[in-house]
mmCIF file of all heavy atoms in Angstrom:
data_model
loop_
_atom_site.group_PDB
_atom_site.id
_atom_site.type_symbol
_atom_site.label_atom_id
_atom_site.label_comp_id
_atom_site.label_asym_id
_atom_site.label_seq_id
_atom_site.Cartn_x
_atom_site.Cartn_y
_atom_site.Cartn_z
ATOM 1 N N PRO C 264 29.651 -13.187 24.728
ATOM 2 C CA PRO C 264 30.983 -13.662 25.106
ATOM 3 C C PRO C 264 31.142 -13.916 26.599
ATOM 4 O O PRO C 264 32.110 -14.538 27.017
ATOM 5 C CB PRO C 264 31.903 -12.497 24.689
ATOM 6 C CG PRO C 264 31.059 -11.512 24.011
ATOM 7 C CD PRO C 264 29.642 -11.788 24.308
ATOM 8 N N VAL C 265 30.219 -13.451 27.382
ATOM 9 C CA VAL C 265 30.386 -13.543 28.822
ATOM 10 C C VAL C 265 29.985 -14.923 29.314
ATOM 11 O O VAL C 265 28.980 -15.476 28.885
ATOM 12 C CB VAL C 265 29.491 -12.453 29.469
ATOM 13 C CG1 VAL C 265 29.230 -12.733 30.909
ATOM 14 C CG2 VAL C 265 30.129 -11.106 29.282
ATOM 15 N N SER C 266 30.757 -15.489 30.231
ATOM 16 C CA SER C 266 30.397 -16.831 30.685
ATOM 17 C C SER C 266 29.660 -16.805 32.011
ATOM 18 O O SER C 266 28.982 -17.755 32.376
ATOM 19 C CB SER C 266 31.635 -17.728 30.783
ATOM 20 O OG SER C 266 32.647 -17.037 31.479
ATOM 21 N N ASP C 267 29.767 -15.728 32.747
ATOM 22 C CA ASP C 267 29.033 -15.656 33.999
ATOM 23 C C ASP C 267 28.412 -14.275 34.114
ATOM 24 O O ASP C 267 28.992 -13.284 33.678
ATOM 25 C CB ASP C 267 29.962 -15.907 35.189
ATOM 26 C CG ASP C 267 29.169 -15.998 36.473
ATOM 27 O OD1 ASP C 267 28.483 -17.016 36.670
ATOM 28 O OD2 ASP C 267 29.210 -15.032 37.265
ATOM 29 N N ILE C 268 27.282 -14.209 34.729
ATOM 30 C CA ILE C 268 26.555 -12.944 34.741
ATOM 31 C C ILE C 268 27.292 -11.861 35.508
ATOM 32 O O ILE C 268 27.122 -10.672 35.262
ATOM 33 C CB ILE C 268 25.133 -13.136 35.285
ATOM 34 C CG1 ILE C 268 24.294 -11.906 34.930
ATOM 35 C CG2 ILE C 268 25.134 -13.377 36.782
ATOM 36 C CD1 ILE C 268 22.835 -12.150 34.975
ATOM 37 N N SER C 269 28.158 -12.264 36.405
ATOM 38 C CA SER C 269 28.875 -11.240 37.151
ATOM 39 C C SER C 269 29.852 -10.499 36.249
ATOM 40 O O SER C 269 30.266 -9.380 36.541
ATOM 41 C CB SER C 269 29.632 -11.871 38.318
ATOM 42 O OG SER C 269 30.435 -12.926 37.828
ATOM 43 N N GLU C 270 30.192 -11.118 35.136
ATOM 44 C CA GLU C 270 31.105 -10.453 34.215
ATOM 45 C C GLU C 270 30.399 -9.495 33.286
ATOM 46 O O GLU C 270 31.036 -8.758 32.546
ATOM 47 C CB GLU C 270 31.816 -11.492 33.342
ATOM 48 C CG GLU C 270 32.779 -12.381 34.106
ATOM 49 C CD GLU C 270 33.235 -13.538 33.240
ATOM 50 O OE1 GLU C 270 33.246 -13.385 32.000
ATOM 51 O OE2 GLU C 270 33.563 -14.585 33.793
ATOM 52 N N LEU C 271 29.087 -9.524 33.290
ATOM 53 C CA LEU C 271 28.329 -8.670 32.386
ATOM 54 C C LEU C 271 28.446 -7.223 32.861
ATOM 55 O O LEU C 271 28.158 -6.914 34.004
ATOM 56 C CB LEU C 271 26.865 -9.113 32.394
ATOM 57 C CG LEU C 271 25.968 -8.687 31.243
ATOM 58 C CD1 LEU C 271 26.425 -9.325 29.954
ATOM 59 C CD2 LEU C 271 24.528 -9.083 31.539
ATOM 60 N N ASP C 272 28.878 -6.381 31.971
ATOM 61 C CA ASP C 272 29.038 -4.990 32.347
ATOM 62 C C ASP C 272 27.777 -4.213 31.977
ATOM 63 O O ASP C 272 26.970 -4.665 31.187
ATOM 64 C CB ASP C 272 30.241 -4.406 31.609
ATOM 65 C CG ASP C 272 30.785 -3.186 32.315
ATOM 66 O OD1 ASP C 272 30.206 -2.778 33.343
ATOM 67 O OD2 ASP C 272 31.794 -2.635 31.845
ATOM 68 N N ILE C 273 27.630 -3.051 32.538
ATOM 69 C CA ILE C 273 26.481 -2.228 32.181
ATOM 70 C C ILE C 273 26.961 -0.882 31.671
ATOM 71 O O ILE C 273 28.110 -0.491 31.891
ATOM 72 C CB ILE C 273 25.542 -1.997 33.388
ATOM 73 C CG1 ILE C 273 26.273 -1.246 34.490
ATOM 74 C CG2 ILE C 273 24.987 -3.300 33.889
ATOM 75 C CD1 ILE C 273 25.356 -0.769 35.585
ATOM 76 N N VAL C 274 26.103 -0.196 30.956
ATOM 77 C CA VAL C 274 26.407 1.156 30.537
ATOM 78 C C VAL C 274 25.631 2.078 31.465
ATOM 79 O O VAL C 274 24.407 2.108 31.428
ATOM 80 C CB VAL C 274 25.987 1.403 29.071
ATOM 81 C CG1 VAL C 274 26.441 2.771 28.618
ATOM 82 C CG2 VAL C 274 26.543 0.326 28.161
ATOM 83 N N PRO C 275 26.316 2.813 32.320
ATOM 84 C CA PRO C 275 25.593 3.614 33.318
ATOM 85 C C PRO C 275 24.850 4.777 32.670
ATOM 86 O O PRO C 275 25.132 5.176 31.548
ATOM 87 C CB PRO C 275 26.722 4.138 34.223
ATOM 88 C CG PRO C 275 27.942 4.083 33.393
ATOM 89 C CD PRO C 275 27.765 2.963 32.419
ATOM 90 N N GLY C 276 23.899 5.313 33.390
ATOM 91 C CA GLY C 276 23.170 6.486 32.936
ATOM 92 C C GLY C 276 22.203 6.131 31.816
ATOM 93 O O GLY C 276 21.883 4.974 31.580
ATOM 94 N N SER C 277 21.745 7.157 31.120
ATOM 95 C CA SER C 277 20.833 6.906 30.017
ATOM 96 C C SER C 277 21.081 7.927 28.906
ATOM 97 O O SER C 277 21.758 8.929 29.115
ATOM 98 C CB SER C 277 19.390 6.985 30.481
ATOM 99 O OG SER C 277 19.155 8.202 31.133
ATOM 100 N N VAL C 278 20.522 7.639 27.750
ATOM 101 C CA VAL C 278 20.705 8.534 26.612
ATOM 102 C C VAL C 278 20.116 9.900 26.962
ATOM 103 O O VAL C 278 19.000 9.982 27.452
ATOM 104 C CB VAL C 278 19.988 7.960 25.367
ATOM 105 C CG1 VAL C 278 20.149 8.893 24.202
ATOM 106 C CG2 VAL C 278 20.525 6.589 25.032
ATOM 107 N N PRO C 279 20.861 10.988 26.723
ATOM 108 C CA PRO C 279 20.325 12.310 27.086
ATOM 109 C C PRO C 279 19.122 12.664 26.230
ATOM 110 O O PRO C 279 18.980 12.173 25.107
ATOM 111 C CB PRO C 279 21.505 13.258 26.794
ATOM 112 C CG PRO C 279 22.385 12.528 25.859
ATOM 113 C CD PRO C 279 22.222 11.076 26.162
ATOM 114 N N ASP C 280 18.258 13.485 26.777
ATOM 115 C CA ASP C 280 17.087 13.952 26.052
ATOM 116 C C ASP C 280 17.552 14.873 24.925
ATOM 117 O O ASP C 280 18.158 15.915 25.180
ATOM 118 C CB ASP C 280 16.182 14.706 27.037
ATOM 119 C CG ASP C 280 14.853 15.070 26.411
ATOM 120 O OD1 ASP C 280 14.771 15.107 25.161
ATOM 121 O OD2 ASP C 280 13.904 15.318 27.143
ATOM 122 N N LEU C 281 17.293 14.481 23.692
ATOM 123 C CA LEU C 281 17.823 15.240 22.559
ATOM 124 C C LEU C 281 17.094 16.555 22.323
ATOM 125 O O LEU C 281 17.391 17.266 21.369
ATOM 126 C CB LEU C 281 17.763 14.372 21.289
ATOM 127 C CG LEU C 281 18.613 13.093 21.360
ATOM 128 C CD1 LEU C 281 18.476 12.290 20.081
ATOM 129 C CD2 LEU C 281 20.072 13.444 21.578
ATOM 130 N N ARG C 282 16.109 16.848 23.187
ATOM 131 C CA ARG C 282 15.429 18.127 23.034
ATOM 132 C C ARG C 282 16.093 19.208 23.873
ATOM 133 O O ARG C 282 15.757 20.372 23.768
ATOM 134 C CB ARG C 282 13.961 17.999 23.460
ATOM 135 C CG ARG C 282 13.131 17.116 22.538
ATOM 136 C CD ARG C 282 11.804 16.803 23.153
ATOM 137 N NE ARG C 282 11.939 16.054 24.391
ATOM 138 C CZ ARG C 282 10.925 15.467 25.021
ATOM 139 N NH1 ARG C 282 9.713 15.552 24.510
ATOM 140 N NH2 ARG C 282 11.106 14.823 26.146
ATOM 141 N N ARG C 283 17.017 18.793 24.699
ATOM 142 C CA ARG C 283 17.644 19.761 25.594
ATOM 143 C C ARG C 283 18.422 20.807 24.837
ATOM 144 O O ARG C 283 19.042 20.526 23.820
ATOM 145 C CB ARG C 283 18.623 19.020 26.519
ATOM 146 C CG ARG C 283 17.981 18.508 27.778
ATOM 147 C CD ARG C 283 18.870 17.519 28.475
ATOM 148 N NE ARG C 283 20.229 18.040 28.671
ATOM 149 C CZ ARG C 283 21.219 17.290 29.132
ATOM 150 N NH1 ARG C 283 21.003 16.023 29.414
ATOM 151 N NH2 ARG C 283 22.423 17.803 29.299
ATOM 152 N N GLN C 284 18.388 22.041 25.386
ATOM 153 C CA GLN C 284 19.181 23.102 24.776
ATOM 154 C C GLN C 284 20.630 22.975 25.155
ATOM 155 O O GLN C 284 21.524 23.370 24.419
ATOM 156 C CB GLN C 284 18.673 24.470 25.292
ATOM 157 C CG GLN C 284 17.198 24.694 25.106
ATOM 158 C CD GLN C 284 16.888 25.174 23.698
ATOM 159 O OE1 GLN C 284 17.747 25.118 22.814
ATOM 160 N NE2 GLN C 284 15.691 25.653 23.495
ATOM 161 N N ASN C 285 20.880 22.433 26.338
ATOM 162 C CA ASN C 285 22.234 22.494 26.884
ATOM 163 C C ASN C 285 22.970 21.167 26.732
ATOM 164 O O ASN C 285 23.710 20.761 27.611
ATOM 165 C CB ASN C 285 22.168 22.873 28.371
ATOM 166 C CG ASN C 285 21.374 21.828 29.160
ATOM 167 O OD1 ASN C 285 20.641 21.034 28.582
ATOM 168 N ND2 ASN C 285 21.526 21.838 30.471
ATOM 169 N N LEU C 286 22.771 20.502 25.602
ATOM 170 C CA LEU C 286 23.483 19.244 25.404
ATOM 171 C C LEU C 286 24.983 19.508 25.350
ATOM 172 O O LEU C 286 25.434 20.423 24.683
ATOM 173 C CB LEU C 286 23.051 18.589 24.081
ATOM 174 C CG LEU C 286 21.710 17.868 24.103
ATOM 175 C CD1 LEU C 286 21.302 17.515 22.690
ATOM 176 C CD2 LEU C 286 21.765 16.625 24.964
ATOM 177 N N PRO C 287 25.758 18.657 26.031
ATOM 178 C CA PRO C 287 27.212 18.859 25.989
ATOM 179 C C PRO C 287 27.741 18.507 24.603
ATOM 180 O O PRO C 287 27.092 17.776 23.860
ATOM 181 C CB PRO C 287 27.728 17.882 27.042
ATOM 182 C CG PRO C 287 26.656 16.866 27.203
ATOM 183 C CD PRO C 287 25.365 17.542 26.893
ATOM 184 N N PRO C 288 28.921 18.985 24.240
ATOM 185 C CA PRO C 288 29.478 18.704 22.915
ATOM 186 C C PRO C 288 29.596 17.206 22.658
ATOM 187 O O PRO C 288 29.307 16.744 21.563
ATOM 188 C CB PRO C 288 30.868 19.364 22.933
ATOM 189 C CG PRO C 288 30.863 20.273 24.095
ATOM 190 C CD PRO C 288 29.787 19.868 25.029
ATOM 191 N N CYS C 289 30.014 16.445 23.690
ATOM 192 C CA CYS C 289 30.035 15.000 23.551
ATOM 193 C C CYS C 289 28.811 14.471 24.287
ATOM 194 O O CYS C 289 28.686 14.621 25.507
ATOM 195 C CB CYS C 289 31.289 14.379 24.157
ATOM 196 S SG CYS C 289 31.207 12.569 24.223
ATOM 197 N N ARG C 290 27.895 13.836 23.588
ATOM 198 C CA ARG C 290 26.638 13.455 24.222
ATOM 199 C C ARG C 290 26.766 12.215 25.092
ATOM 200 O O ARG C 290 25.798 11.791 25.707
ATOM 201 C CB ARG C 290 25.567 13.255 23.154
ATOM 202 C CG ARG C 290 25.239 14.549 22.435
ATOM 203 C CD ARG C 290 24.229 14.347 21.345
ATOM 204 N NE ARG C 290 23.906 15.600 20.678
ATOM 205 C CZ ARG C 290 22.999 15.701 19.692
ATOM 206 N NH1 ARG C 290 22.364 14.634 19.279
ATOM 207 N NH2 ARG C 290 22.759 16.874 19.138
ATOM 208 N N TYR C 291 27.938 11.627 25.103
ATOM 209 C CA TYR C 291 28.140 10.494 25.997
ATOM 210 C C TYR C 291 28.758 10.952 27.310
ATOM 211 O O TYR C 291 28.807 10.210 28.282
ATOM 212 C CB TYR C 291 29.036 9.441 25.321
ATOM 213 C CG TYR C 291 29.237 8.194 26.125
ATOM 214 C CD1 TYR C 291 28.172 7.337 26.364
ATOM 215 C CD2 TYR C 291 30.469 7.877 26.676
ATOM 216 C CE1 TYR C 291 28.342 6.191 27.128
ATOM 217 C CE2 TYR C 291 30.648 6.733 27.431
ATOM 218 C CZ TYR C 291 29.580 5.889 27.659
ATOM 219 O OH TYR C 291 29.745 4.769 28.420
ATOM 220 N N ALA C 292 29.234 12.210 27.342
ATOM 221 C CA ALA C 292 30.012 12.691 28.479
ATOM 222 C C ALA C 292 29.337 12.451 29.816
ATOM 223 O O ALA C 292 29.966 12.032 30.785
ATOM 224 C CB ALA C 292 30.323 14.179 28.296
ATOM 225 N N GLU C 293 28.030 12.705 29.876
ATOM 226 C CA GLU C 293 27.362 12.587 31.164
ATOM 227 C C GLU C 293 27.304 11.162 31.684
ATOM 228 O O GLU C 293 27.043 10.929 32.856
ATOM 229 C CB GLU C 293 25.949 13.177 31.058
ATOM 230 C CG GLU C 293 25.973 14.696 31.016
ATOM 231 C CD GLU C 293 24.683 15.288 30.470
ATOM 232 O OE1 GLU C 293 23.806 14.525 30.034
ATOM 233 O OE2 GLU C 293 24.573 16.524 30.485
ATOM 234 N N ARG C 294 27.539 10.185 30.816
ATOM 235 C CA ARG C 294 27.507 8.793 31.280
ATOM 236 C C ARG C 294 28.913 8.230 31.389
ATOM 237 O O ARG C 294 29.096 7.063 31.755
ATOM 238 C CB ARG C 294 26.757 7.918 30.262
ATOM 239 C CG ARG C 294 25.414 8.441 29.855
ATOM 240 C CD ARG C 294 24.868 7.666 28.688
ATOM 241 N NE ARG C 294 24.402 6.344 29.099
ATOM 242 C CZ ARG C 294 23.791 5.479 28.281
ATOM 243 N NH1 ARG C 294 23.591 5.800 27.028
ATOM 244 N NH2 ARG C 294 23.401 4.305 28.709
ATOM 245 N N CYS C 295 29.895 9.036 31.038
ATOM 246 C CA CYS C 295 31.228 8.497 30.825
ATOM 247 C C CYS C 295 32.065 8.545 32.086
ATOM 248 O O CYS C 295 32.151 9.580 32.748
ATOM 249 C CB CYS C 295 31.911 9.295 29.709
ATOM 250 S SG CYS C 295 33.474 8.593 29.204
ATOM 251 N N GLU C 296 32.785 7.469 32.374
ATOM 252 C CA GLU C 296 33.613 7.465 33.577
ATOM 253 C C GLU C 296 34.950 8.143 33.322
ATOM 254 O O GLU C 296 35.705 8.397 34.249
ATOM 255 C CB GLU C 296 33.828 6.019 34.062
ATOM 256 C CG GLU C 296 34.755 5.174 33.195
ATOM 257 C CD GLU C 296 34.024 4.496 32.046
ATOM 258 O OE1 GLU C 296 32.875 4.878 31.773
ATOM 259 O OE2 GLU C 296 34.591 3.601 31.422
#
Side-chain angles (χ1 to χ4, degrees):
Chain C
V265 161
S266 48
D267 187 73
I268 195 160
S269 53
E270 292 169 27
L271 199 66
D272 202 358
I273 62 170
V274 186
S277 54
V278 179
D280 188 339
L281 298 179
R282 293 168 298 191
R283 272 166 51 188
Q284 306 278 12
N285 61 343
L286 282 169
C289 171
R290 295 178 179 182
Y291 184 67
E293 286 161 355
R294 309 170 74 176
C295 188
E296 72 273 14

